[in-house]
Amino acid sequence: MKTKHIQYETKGTCSKLIDVTADENNIIQQVFFLGGCNGNLQGISQLVRGQHIDDVIHKIDGVRCGSKNTSCPDQLCRALELLKNAPLED
């Protein structure tokens, strides 16, 4: 199976980096967050695994954290948008 992978530096959140991998059909294989609210981000990672990138973006794009203009789920959407266009690896 071919996969695509990126590491995305977040902006405006407590997490600093999102490492995400998807297969050639844009199905999310794994997500890791560096920093942030560990329990919540582990939960998000588990919930999105096996989901299509577009479905995840549709559900959590624009979620805000308190008074911030973004959130870790919203930043995951930014990463997933980039991942959709990333080259496939063997």
Side-chain angles (χ1 to χ4, degrees):
M1 168 189 348
K2 291 189 176 188
T3 60
K4 42 190 167 179
H5 170 259
I6 63 164
Q7 291 186 329
Y8 178 79
E9 292 185 28
T10 61
K11 297 159 189 71
T13 61
C14 299
S15 66
K16 301 298 177 201
L17 182 88
I18 303 171
D19 184 294
V20 59
T21 304
D23 68 15
E24 66 264 4
N25 297 311
N26 287 330
I27 303 300
I28 300 167
Q29 300 299 307
Q30 64 181 10
V31 178
F32 296 106
F33 288 85
L34 177 62
C37 302
N38 189 39
N40 290 336
L41 297 176
Q42 284 183 46
I44 290 169
S45 297
Q46 293 293 324
L47 288 170
V48 302
R49 186 179 307 156
Q51 301 296 312
H52 192 278
I53 287 174
D54 290 334
D55 293 336
V56 172
I57 291 171
H58 176 74
K59 291 177 184 174
I60 62 174
D61 185 35
V63 169
R64 295 173 61 161
C65 183
S67 62
K68 297 178 183 177
N69 290 329
T70 190
S71 66
C72 292
D74 186 58
Q75 288 294 294
L76 175 58
C77 292
R78 304 292 77 74
L80 293 174
E81 288 168 350
L82 293 174
L83 184 62
K84 283 181 9 176
N85 298 314
L88 289 170
E89 305 168 353
D90 288 324

